[in-house]
Amino acid sequence: MKKQSFWSRTLIYLLLLGGALLSTIPFLFMLSTSFKEHSYVFELPPRFIPENPTLSNYIQAWTWNNFELYFTNSFVVSLVTTLIVLIVASMLAFAFARFRFWGKNILYYLILSSLMVPSMMLIIPQFILAKNLRLLNSLPGLVFVYVAMNVAVSTFLLRGFFESLPRELEDATRMDGGGFFTIFFRIVLPLSKPSLATVTVFTFLFGWDEFVWALTAINQQSRLTLPVAIHSFHGAHQTQWGLVFAASMFAIAPVLIAFVLLQRHFIQGLTSGAIKG
Amino acid sequence: MDGGYYRSKQVIAFLVPALVFFLAFNTYPLIEAFRMSFYNWNIVRPENSQFVGLANYMKAFSDPIFWTSMKNTVLYALVTVPAQMALGLLVAMFLNFNLPGTKVFRTIYYLPVISSWVVVSLLFRYLFNGEAGLVNYILVDLLQIFPSYVSWFRNASTALFVIMLLGIWKGVGWSMVIFLAGLQGIPTELREASMIDGASSGQHFWQVVLPILRPTMGFVAIMLVIGGFNVFTSVFLVTGGGPLHRTEVLLTYMYYQGFERLNFGYGAALSYILGIIIFVISVIQLRLFQKPVEM
Amino acid sequence: MGQKRFSLMIALVVLVILAQIGVVSAQKVTLTYWHGYNPVETRHFEETIIPLFEAKHPNVTVEAVAVPYDQFYQKIIVSIAGGMVPDLIRADLAWVPQLANLGVLVPLSKEMVDFEVYKNKVFPGTLEPNFWAGEYYGLPLDTNTRVLFWNKELFSAADLSGPPATFGEFLQYAEILAELEGVWGYAEGGTGGWNVLPLMWSNGGQLTDDEITRATGYLNSPSNVELLELLVEMLERGSLGPSILGDGFSTADGYAQGRYGMIIDGPWMVSIFADQYDDFEAQMALLPSGDGGSVSVVGGQDIVVFEGSKNKEAAFDFIRFMLQDEIQLSMAEVGQMPVIQHLEESSYIQEHPFYGIFFEQMKTARARTPHPEWPEIDRVLGNAVTRVLMKELTAQEALDEAAQEIDVLLQ
């Protein structure tokens, strides 16, 4: 196999490095600004290493506005949403992968088409529905809607994976008199860990970052989620950028750490779904 | 058993839980939005909503901001989708050479993808500040590309540029990862076969690699286009649709009409128009990319 | 049979327990109150004021929310749409007519028994914006106006001895200050009524006629056109800062950091500067006087109760509390000027370092158009001014168009 010439390797490295810098510099600058006091936030020339670094932004962000509450809200909502989605979507995916039933095709296309339109498109009637069901301004209401928003995507991911599982084990179980639930819980699910992990990651991330619906549906201060809280630090008239970024770091850091540790799951499940089409 | 599939009433148990959520919060609103779009919806007292037939749709067609938002949405997709695909493919190819450090690069490029839209939108707003933003400083004082600071958010075109740049910056890592997996799935024997046939790298790329990647590219293209039309948070937080509604995209304008002007009926009509457009585009794309590849 | 009786007993026990809980919770009231106080004001409010109220009313908890001011209006709208309104809000007085017109506010003059008492305590000018269709839908909470803030250091550097007294001087000084490196003479935060009306009025122009029936002939008058043309020139020459179009440094930051020589702002800024900029001292003066005099815009917030509130009596108690002399004076410490008439004679106000200027300015200050369509009118005005500044339309064209649109809205 012809090895890349030294020069083309160097060029590629340089380009990759350039791209990597572009990817990370905004974040680094954000980190840097989070340690600056307000009067230094827009100094010229901009400094990467703050002159008088301070922790005041972090302290203020965490203590001033009940931040740990928002953090908890986001965490709980994301967690519960993920758990529910895992259960209901895998069940639905199993139905699609293994069963034939009346209306299967219609249902399939219905779910498929919901993936093709922007979920935000429905925000107006969803708002009214939530109002009528008294789900507004409540965290359970948020979970409800989040689950609904993720069912389709997760079902697809899981269905693809389930269909690829070999049938022998299932057939053997059935011949031994095992029921569908046994097959589902004892065979299919345990074998689907990678795919389930992917769904977990995506759904959790969705709940963690979701902004528009949380902004619109939640009014009560104690029920805000992180993205909405960060947004409220930003005012058109005068933004305290140091504060905004300190708060943002609180939101981003857990995700970054989880990503670095669990990269494989992010990427593996995603690509397997993609290649199979 | 039925050709490998089960047939049993128990399937209902598997269907119902998910369907409850889906039908309630997805299908029902879809139908309801349709209904609402024919009314002048009164949110304080819904019983008093008046039926106006197609008036909301007519209003959209004669609404200059609607057309602006439509134009911006299409422009956004037209620019960001190819850019993300091209850059993603490029980086994927580089990483495919398996040079040392590939894994690290892969992680770094994927960072923007997993970051929150809220955070990066605010970040870009800060970086592109017209008087003291980092970008202006780099472009004018360091690299001296422009003579004076650019007021990015004062004009629609420069503001849109920033929004598109943000979209591309955030999305490249995603297509990169998918293309990389696709590339890594191509057996190396094919490369050797091309070499034996005397093909250059370029020919190998265009005639062997790309056709194999076609379904992958199709998938990426569809997802990116849907994502492009879905753009909301970045516009909402970077420009708020301004100045003067000139950077509105369909979703932000719909949100504005619904949740700031309280024109829920009109907002519903706008959302339907958007939905139909995207649906049609997606179907077309599906058809385009579904032709199989001959090996 | 035994089973039935057993279940009945259980049901009874449950009912009794629920009733007890119901009784207990009926005694404990939570008032949700959305104010829009900035961080400094909020700190003071939460640490000093609320505890005082809760001490006096032990069965009431106040859940106060500091809504970011530029998201406030939209948040109110969405909450009305979603039926999730708070009990009370501290509403910008310009929003009250629209909210009253939507039918979502409680008419205090009808439902608050001692309304007359408070009506007579407050400045008449602050009470007026609460009036709609025969009733008063709120009571004033704080008042303010905008005066000229000038940067002493920049003025010395430019050899200017003091703030401009006339409009002509104001324009001149802006030019002179702009000659300093990296400095703009004057900066404004936006193009809405709050921002441009003081300039328009001082220059002798108006928005509408006195009966508020039309804008044509008033908004597009020669003096307003002249003013806009001046602003365009200033923006071009660099004497007017970019913040008016929403870019660059905010007026507050720019002023305190020595980039803007003059801004026009309100009394709350002093506490903010003290909080964010250690060595900085703000200098204030009356607005420069033009053909119309030195006319500023009346601001302020009213406290209103939503019809959807389940705790109206507690809400009224809160209003009474906030209008007490001590409380008004306490909030005055963070830049919230009191609305109680006799407090102007109090020693606190008389000896205050800068409230004197604001009260003086308020003598001639005018209110923004009290009309339910004000938010939309404001938008039309702001868009027109923005387009002129962006040089898309001439001042005459933009104001003509805007006047026509506003005519329709005033119908």
Side-chain angles (χ1 to χ4, degrees):
Chain A
M1 172 106 173
K2 184 174 92 168
K3 246 192 138 188
Q4 299 301 111
S5 75
F6 175 71
W7 288 114
S8 49
R9 285 181 70 174
T10 318
L11 181 63
I12 291 177
Y13 254 122
L14 280 176
L15 288 175
L16 280 179
L17 209 55
L21 276 177
L22 282 179
S23 284
T24 51
I25 284 190
F27 292 114
L28 291 175
F29 200 62
M30 176 173 101
L31 183 65
S32 155
T33 306
S34 70
F35 290 109
K36 294 179 188 164
E37 270 175 27
H38 186 66
S39 37
Y40 289 102
V41 152
F42 271 132
E43 59 179 347
L44 279 176
R47 259 186 262 252
F48 254 99
I49 316 269
E51 193 174 293
N52 285 331
T54 169
L55 280 179
S56 63
N57 288 322
Y58 283 94
I59 298 176
Q60 197 176 351
W62 190 260
T63 61
W64 178 232
N65 280 309
N66 279 335
F67 205 77
E68 69 260 35
L69 189 58
Y70 306 146
F71 198 90
T72 319
N73 288 341
S74 274
F75 187 76
V76 169
V77 166
S78 306
L79 190 66
V80 175
T81 303
T82 306
L83 288 174
I84 299 182
V85 167
L86 277 175
I87 299 175
V88 304
S90 57
M91 283 165 67
L92 185 60
F94 184 62
F96 273 123
R98 290 287 184 260
F99 286 83
R100 256 218 193 128
F101 51 91
W102 179 85
K104 179 176 177 179
N105 271 342
I106 301 176
L107 198 57
Y108 181 75
Y109 283 114
L110 188 62
I111 297 190
L112 178 67
S113 56
S114 85
L115 283 180
M116 295 207 262
V117 293
S119 51
M120 226 207 101
M121 163 187 155
L122 302 171
I123 195 172
I124 290 177
Q126 279 171 339
F127 185 76
I128 297 189
L129 178 64
K131 171 185 174 180
N132 293 333
L133 291 178
R134 302 189 170 286
L135 287 176
L136 280 183
N137 222 4
S138 79
L139 292 176
L142 212 56
V143 169
F144 240 89
V145 175
Y146 284 177
V147 169
M149 288 179 178
N150 279 289
V151 157
V153 137
S154 308
T155 304
F156 263 99
L157 259 166
L158 292 169
R159 184 199 81 119
F161 194 84
F162 290 168
E163 278 190 346
S164 69
L165 290 176
R167 302 278 186 120
E168 294 86 38
L169 277 174
E170 294 172 48
D171 294 341
T173 316
R174 289 214 75 209
M175 288 210 279
D176 287 347
F180 297 120
F181 276 95
T182 318
I183 295 181
F184 180 65
F185 281 112
R186 295 264 172 86
I187 300 182
V188 173
L189 282 189
L191 283 179
S192 309
K193 287 208 179 96
S195 208
L196 290 174
T198 308
V199 168
T200 304
V201 162
F202 277 127
T203 313
F204 194 87
L205 209 57
F206 175 86
W208 191 255
D209 290 340
E210 203 284 328
F211 174 62
V212 190
W213 179 252
L215 176 73
T216 313
I218 303 273
N219 244 350
Q220 192 144 326
Q221 195 74 354
S222 58
R223 299 192 186 134
L224 293 184
T225 54
L226 275 181
V228 183
I230 295 175
H231 174 239
S232 68
F233 281 127
H234 164 70
H237 193 64
Q238 195 204 25
T239 306
Q240 299 195 280
W241 288 107
L243 204 58
V244 171
F245 291 142
S248 302
M249 287 309 296
F250 281 125
I252 277 197
V255 172
L256 284 183
I257 296 174
F259 173 65
V260 169
L261 293 177
L262 301 172
Q263 277 183 70
R264 259 188 313 126
H265 294 296
F266 272 81
I267 293 177
Q268 179 176 20
L270 166 70
T271 54
S272 66
I275 302 302
K276 287 180 165 108
Chain B
M1 292 273 272
D2 173 2
Y5 288 100
Y6 309 133
R7 271 185 172 278
S8 157
K9 289 233 162 58
Q10 286 189 35
V11 72
I12 295 184
F14 287 96
L15 291 176
V16 163
L19 286 187
V20 163
F21 288 98
F22 184 77
L23 292 175
F25 272 95
N26 218 304
T27 314
Y28 172 73
L30 195 62
I31 302 172
E32 186 65 2
F34 190 60
R35 187 172 85 88
M36 283 173 75
S37 66
F38 296 116
Y39 284 81
N40 197 358
W41 198 265
N42 183 325
I43 33 85
V44 181
R45 298 189 208 298
E47 337 54 271
N48 292 351
S49 310
Q50 340 153 249
F51 182 77
V52 291
L54 287 176
N56 284 325
Y57 291 94
M58 294 291 113
K59 183 172 169 186
F61 292 124
S62 60
D63 182 340
I65 304 181
F66 168 73
W67 289 111
T68 307
S69 66
M70 176 88 106
K71 175 200 87 166
N72 287 337
T73 312
V74 170
L75 199 60
Y76 181 84
L78 274 179
V79 171
T80 59
V81 174
Q84 287 173 78
M85 286 178 73
L87 288 174
L89 186 57
L90 193 65
V91 178
M93 287 196 321
F94 287 163
L95 293 184
N96 197 29
F97 293 132
N98 255 315
L99 306 172
T102 295
K103 281 247 161 67
V104 175
F105 277 122
R106 200 182 61 173
T107 310
I108 291 182
Y109 278 95
Y110 208 66
L111 280 183
V113 179
I114 52 150
S115 52
S116 142
W117 272 109
V118 174
V119 170
V120 297
S121 300
L122 293 179
L123 182 57
F124 265 58
R125 215 195 138 99
Y126 172 68
L127 292 174
F128 281 85
N129 181 285
E131 287 312 317
L134 184 68
V135 172
N136 267 343
Y137 176 71
I138 292 179
L139 287 179
V140 175
D141 295 314
L142 280 189
L143 298 177
Q144 312 216 325
I145 299 182
F146 293 133
S148 63
Y149 284 172
V150 180
S151 264
W152 296 97
F153 302 119
R154 205 189 286 197
N155 299 307
S157 35
T158 48
L160 262 178
F161 174 75
V162 174
I163 293 175
M164 291 196 265
L165 194 64
L166 172 59
I168 297 172
W169 175 84
K170 194 173 188 306
V172 166
W174 186 81
S175 34
M176 170 204 82
V177 152
I178 300 197
F179 282 138
L180 185 58
L183 285 173
Q184 284 171 342
I186 297 180
T188 47
E189 296 87 53
L190 288 177
R191 180 79 181 98
E192 282 154 16
S194 298
M195 277 175 55
I196 293 175
D197 285 350
S200 70
S201 302
Q203 285 172 318
H204 173 74
F205 178 72
W206 287 105
Q207 282 161 17
V208 182
V209 174
L210 272 192
I212 295 184
L213 279 186
R214 193 179 168 150
T216 312
M217 286 176 68
F219 172 75
V220 170
I222 294 181
M223 297 303 284
L224 287 184
V225 166
I226 293 179
F229 274 81
N230 235 327
V231 64
F232 176 86
T233 306
S234 52
V235 177
F236 190 72
L237 291 180
V238 174
T239 60
L244 299 178
H245 294 295
R246 290 187 190 157
T247 56
E248 296 274 14
V249 289
L250 279 167
L251 281 178
T252 54
Y253 189 47
M254 176 202 89
Y255 190 83
Y256 168 76
Q257 283 294 337
F259 294 101
E260 206 164 321
R261 310 288 292 126
L262 292 184
N263 292 331
F264 271 40
Y266 187 39
L270 289 175
S271 73
Y272 245 84
I273 297 178
L274 175 66
I276 294 178
I277 293 177
I278 300 187
F279 187 76
V280 167
I281 293 182
S282 303
V283 167
I284 295 178
Q285 277 189 300
L286 266 177
R287 289 286 149 83
L288 275 180
F289 282 103
Q290 227 154 41
K291 301 191 212 134
V293 170
E294 280 117 44
M295 290 273 264
Chain C
M1 256 320 223
Q3 222 182 2
K4 247 200 186 159
R5 207 176 291 171
F6 186 64
S7 343
L8 256 172
M9 272 180 58
I10 300 280
L12 264 172
V13 170
V14 170
L15 269 173
V16 169
I17 295 179
L18 283 178
Q20 294 290 25
I21 298 179
V23 164
V24 167
S25 60
Q27 291 174 341
K28 259 271 162 207
V29 165
T30 305
L31 277 182
T32 42
Y33 175 51
W34 293 357
H35 52 83
Y37 290 136
N38 62 46
V40 177
E41 295 160 350
T42 304
R43 229 187 335 254
H44 184 80
F45 182 66
E46 291 186 358
E47 287 170 11
T48 311
I49 311 284
I50 295 188
L52 280 175
F53 177 77
E54 291 182 342
K56 272 189 167 177
H57 298 86
N59 63 322
V60 182
T61 322
V62 177
E63 192 185 292
V65 180
V67 182
Y69 210 77
D70 4 85
Q71 297 166 19
F72 204 165
Y73 177 71
Q74 222 231 328
K75 204 168 161 123
I76 296 174
I77 297 291
V78 174
S79 68
I80 293 175
M84 39 184 186
V85 293
D87 293 297
L88 305 132
I89 59 172
R90 174 178 167 261
D92 191 303
L93 54 86
W95 303 334
V96 177
Q98 187 197 26
L99 294 178
N101 194 39
L102 273 176
V104 296
L105 297 182
V106 172
L108 294 182
S109 44
K110 253 178 37 192
E111 300 202 16
M112 193 172 158
V113 286
D114 49 351
F115 180 76
E116 288 293 313
V117 171
Y118 293 93
K119 180 179 173 202
N120 297 326
K121 267 181 95 170
V122 300
F123 290 111
T126 60
L127 183 65
E128 275 321 295
N130 291 289
F131 186 77
W132 180 252
E135 302 287 346
Y136 287 93
Y137 283 86
L139 277 169
L141 187 61
D142 53 76
T143 185
N144 57 63
T145 185
R146 309 173 71 216
V147 302
L148 186 73
F149 281 69
W150 53 283
N151 186 312
K152 199 164 183 190
E153 267 182 46
L154 288 180
F155 269 58
S156 324
D159 272 330
L160 296 168
S161 52
T166 68
F167 213 70
E169 281 175 13
F170 169 71
L171 297 172
Q172 249 186 9
Y173 286 20
E175 296 298 321
I176 298 176
L177 288 162
E179 280 167 27
L180 297 172
E181 178 81 32
V183 173
W184 290 268
Y186 166 62
E188 193 46 74
T191 55
W194 180 249
N195 304 101
V196 306
L197 284 173
L199 299 171
M200 276 184 164
W201 288 329
S202 298
N203 194 40
Q206 302 211 119
L207 182 55
T208 68
D209 62 325
D210 290 331
E211 287 81 44
I212 314 180
T213 55
R214 41 200 287 267
T216 307
Y218 294 87
L219 176 59
N220 51 346
S221 66
S223 55
N224 286 341
V225 172
E226 174 197 49
L227 176 73
L228 276 196
E229 285 172 354
L230 272 172
L231 289 178
V232 177
E233 264 186 61
M234 285 172 74
L235 187 63
E236 193 133 316
R237 283 208 293 264
S239 41
L240 173 62
S243 53
I244 192 168
L245 286 175
D247 202 13
F249 300 102
S250 66
T251 49
D253 287 328
Y255 170 70
Q257 290 181 17
R259 297 185 204 272
Y260 299 148
M262 298 181 281
I263 62 171
I264 298 181
D265 222 319
W268 56 81
M269 287 313 297
V270 182
S271 312
I272 292 187
F273 288 138
D275 189 58
Q276 290 175 352
Y277 293 95
D278 281 329
D279 298 320
F280 183 73
E281 219 189 282
Q283 305 293 326
M284 289 154 272
L286 290 177
L287 287 187
S289 174
D291 289 336
S294 165
V295 185
S296 188
V297 59
V298 169
Q301 271 74 224
D302 302 328
I303 190 164
V304 298
V305 182
F306 275 99
E307 276 289 0
S309 166
K310 300 193 171 48
N311 306 303
K312 293 192 184 139
E313 277 311 315
F316 296 157
D317 279 339
F318 188 74
I319 296 180
R320 295 179 184 114
F321 173 79
M322 290 303 289
L323 287 176
Q324 279 177 14
D325 287 1
E326 316 85 70
I327 304 302
Q328 287 275 308
L329 285 175
S330 179
M331 285 311 290
E333 289 169 28
V334 281
Q336 294 289 299
M337 291 171 67
V339 291
I340 313 282
Q341 292 191 64
H342 65 246
L343 283 181
E344 198 184 344
E345 321 290 309
S346 71
S347 52
Y348 177 78
I349 300 292
Q350 293 290 323
E351 289 158 20
H352 196 275
F354 55 86
Y355 276 161
I357 301 184
F358 286 93
F359 273 114
E360 182 69 31
Q361 188 76 68
M362 284 213 291
K363 292 196 174 133
T364 49
R366 299 169 58 170
R368 290 157 289 172
T369 315
H371 193 277
E373 290 290 352
W374 170 252
E376 188 58 15
I377 296 174
D378 197 21
R379 223 187 305 266
V380 172
L381 175 63
N383 286 349
V385 176
T386 303
R387 297 185 70 186
V388 174
L389 290 174
M390 284 168 67
K391 310 202 79 188
E392 288 177 14
L393 292 175
T394 66
Q396 188 72 60
E397 286 169 352
L399 290 180
D400 284 337
E401 239 184 73
Q404 277 180 359
E405 280 187 63
I406 297 180
D407 283 342
V408 173
L409 289 168
L410 290 177
Q411 247 36 314

